[in-house]
Amino acid sequence: QVPEKKLKLVMADKDLYKACAVEVKRQIWQDNQALFGDEVSPLLKQYILEKENILFSNDISFLQNFFSPSPKTRRQGEVVQKLTQMIGKNVKLYDMVLQFLRTLFLRTRNVHYCTLRAELLMSLHDLEISEICTVDPCHKFTWCLDACIREKFVDNKRARELQGFLDGVKKGQEQVLGDLSMILCDPFAINTLALSTIRHLQDLVGQDTLPRESPDLLLLLRMLSLGQGAWDMIDSQVFKEPKMEAELITRFLPLLMSFVVDDHTFTVDQKLPSEEKGPIPYPSAIPEAFTKFLQENRIACEIGLYYILHITKQRNKNAFLRLLPALVETFSDLAFSDIFLHLLTGNLTLLSDEFALEEFCTSLFDGFFLTACSR
């Protein structure tokens, strides 16, 4: 602990300040938010650049993409490690960093700040810094979600835990929802929730069950909607969960399930002996409601895009070409967002043979990719 007078002398001398141990710098920073901001700012810029470099890198395939590294590996990154070291056990500095992240997220809408929010907390968790973990109300929620991200799936037991945390937000403490929504807005969280949703829908098809009858599926949607609403919540400072539109559950998800059924029936039809009847064509029409949902409903759009990634990964060319036209106009152009295009391009490497066919290329390039050029 350095006396206040000495700290002022250190601050006045740039070289002395630079040579200081981080323990001394923490004492200076905690009463000088601007100075601390100057130290943290280049790190945050570097973090965003690193994320974009991965997204725009051209050495991707379906095996190796943006979401491949495990949470533990990501937390070993230089920026997270440096920030963790700068914060030490100092709650005040931790709060300052969170404030910077909230402000930058609001200013730029860049979701990578949400990833850093979660990574930083889990990095402190790895080091067992209870001074901070016990005071961050999101700690247990983030820890549980982190395990789901590691498995790329939300299982029933963890789903119950996550629901418990959400239902446990007490009156007067609703602000916690703002932080939880930011943690759910992390692309790694959204990726896990969306993949789990697609898996659930397929299971429901096998069980002849409607989406509204699956509590686990409804919880996934609730978390997706909290994550997608993070920016609006922090911007408006109105801390309550976004209302779930009934049509999403009663109309949109059954529509997706009907696509799965179309696939199954087509496959079975192909195997039936054809007595004089010609080959059965794959259904090519897209229900108008599907296109409308993708344009007007953010969560429907997110789930729809993940369904398209799923069929591409399965090398299901028919289903892919059928739904591709729906991607030209989507909610706030989500189909042309960095993350979706990155994943789609990676999955398309599985369809390399199809690129020899003119019809496939025309649909993909003229019908989808090149439509973005005029914007």
Side-chain angles (χ1 to χ4, degrees):
Q1 202 63 34
V2 179
E4 185 71 28
K5 274 199 312 208
K6 299 278 196 298
L7 287 178
K8 282 191 173 132
L9 291 172
V10 171
M11 273 170 67
D13 184 335
K14 271 195 176 141
D15 293 335
L16 195 52
Y17 167 74
K18 259 194 177 140
C20 258
V22 71
E23 290 80 0
V24 179
K25 282 186 180 165
R26 284 186 202 129
Q27 293 170 51
I28 294 174
W29 291 334
Q30 69 171 9
D31 299 314
N32 283 278
Q33 186 160 5
L35 187 61
F36 186 51
D38 291 344
E39 294 267 355
V40 169
S41 181
L43 286 173
L44 303 184
K45 281 198 185 98
Q46 180 190 335
Y47 184 83
I48 299 298
L49 270 173
E50 283 170 5
K51 290 284 181 207
E52 286 174 352
N53 286 341
I54 303 172
L55 280 176
F56 300 147
S57 128
N58 56 9
D59 97 36
I60 61 162
S61 69
F62 77 104
L63 283 172
Q64 190 58 42
N65 65 36
F66 183 71
F67 292 116
S68 300
S70 73
K72 201 112 190 189
T73 311
R74 286 186 283 122
R75 299 200 281 275
Q76 304 309 314
E78 185 188 358
V79 173
V80 178
Q81 289 299 314
K82 272 189 180 165
L83 285 172
T84 309
Q85 191 196 0
M86 286 163 81
I87 291 166
K89 298 181 177 183
N90 192 315
V91 176
K92 207 169 166 188
L93 294 179
Y94 176 67
D95 281 340
M96 275 190 219
V97 175
L98 295 194
Q99 201 43 56
F100 295 149
L101 292 176
R102 278 184 213 110
T103 310
L104 285 162
F105 175 50
L106 268 185
R107 204 179 296 158
T108 62
R109 282 184 181 253
N110 191 325
V111 288
H112 301 313
Y113 291 116
C114 300
T115 309
L116 185 51
R117 158 77 175 94
E119 284 179 352
L120 189 58
L121 172 55
M122 286 309 294
S123 172
L124 293 159
H125 165 92
D126 291 342
L127 294 169
E128 297 181 6
I129 296 184
S130 58
E131 290 84 346
I132 291 175
C133 292
T134 48
V135 294
D136 188 331
C138 303
H139 172 231
K140 284 185 174 155
F141 183 87
T142 311
W143 184 10
C144 184
L145 188 62
D146 187 72
C148 299
I149 294 172
R150 190 181 63 227
E151 310 287 334
K152 290 190 170 45
F153 184 63
V154 183
D155 62 39
N156 296 359
K157 181 173 169 283
R158 292 200 180 107
R160 299 279 169 279
E161 275 185 57
L162 292 166
Q163 185 170 4
F165 294 129
L166 289 180
D167 294 342
V169 174
K170 295 184 180 67
K171 270 215 171 342
Q173 295 178 334
E174 288 88 356
Q175 269 190 312
V176 174
L177 280 176
D179 263 358
L180 289 178
S181 71
M182 211 171 151
I183 286 186
L184 286 165
C185 183
D186 161 17
F188 286 86
I190 299 249
N191 179 56
T192 304
L193 295 170
L195 288 174
S196 302
T197 304
I198 301 296
R199 251 174 77 175
H200 266 295
L201 286 174
Q202 287 175 291
D203 292 346
L204 294 178
V205 170
Q207 298 158 6
D208 285 347
T209 310
L210 283 170
R212 69 189 82 169
E213 289 159 21
S214 162
D216 284 347
L217 182 64
L218 297 179
L219 174 69
L220 289 170
L221 294 177
R222 179 184 173 189
M223 291 196 286
L224 266 175
S225 132
L226 245 176
Q228 297 292 16
W231 191 88
D232 295 317
M233 192 187 292
I234 298 170
D235 182 49
S236 64
Q237 293 286 297
V238 176
F239 298 105
K240 58 174 200 264
E241 288 194 38
K243 208 167 153 299
M244 184 79 64
E245 286 173 44
E247 288 220 311
L248 179 72
I249 297 149
T250 56
R251 285 193 65 205
F252 178 70
L253 294 179
L255 243 182
L256 273 188
M257 288 166 72
S258 75
F259 294 153
V260 179
V261 173
D262 284 346
D263 259 351
H264 286 318
T265 40
F266 177 74
T267 313
V268 171
D269 274 340
Q270 293 297 315
K271 289 175 185 160
L272 293 176
S274 58
E275 272 103 41
E276 307 306 311
K277 65 174 191 301
I280 293 166
Y282 191 86
S284 60
I286 313 180
E288 204 178 304
F290 179 73
T291 316
K292 204 167 169 245
F293 267 113
L294 255 55
Q295 289 167 4
E296 295 172 10
N297 185 307
R298 178 155 197 151
I299 309 217
C301 184
E302 194 76 58
I303 296 169
L305 292 182
Y306 266 88
Y307 179 70
I308 287 167
L309 290 174
H310 166 74
I311 54 182
T312 319
K313 200 169 183 172
Q314 287 191 316
R315 304 177 194 216
N316 186 338
K317 183 191 77 167
N318 292 325
F320 176 69
L321 290 179
R322 175 190 185 181
L323 298 182
L324 191 62
L327 294 187
V328 178
E329 294 285 333
T330 47
F331 186 93
S332 78
D333 268 349
L334 275 177
F336 290 108
S337 64
D338 301 343
I339 291 181
F340 175 71
L341 284 181
H342 168 94
L343 294 173
L344 180 69
T345 317
N347 286 356
L348 283 170
T349 57
L350 289 166
L351 292 169
S352 51
D353 298 351
E354 307 298 339
F355 282 92
L357 308 172
E358 190 162 333
E359 180 205 2
F360 182 80
C361 291
T362 307
S363 303
L364 180 62
F365 291 104
D366 301 359
F368 174 57
F369 282 134
L370 295 174
T371 58
C373 292
S374 55
R375 302 181 182 201

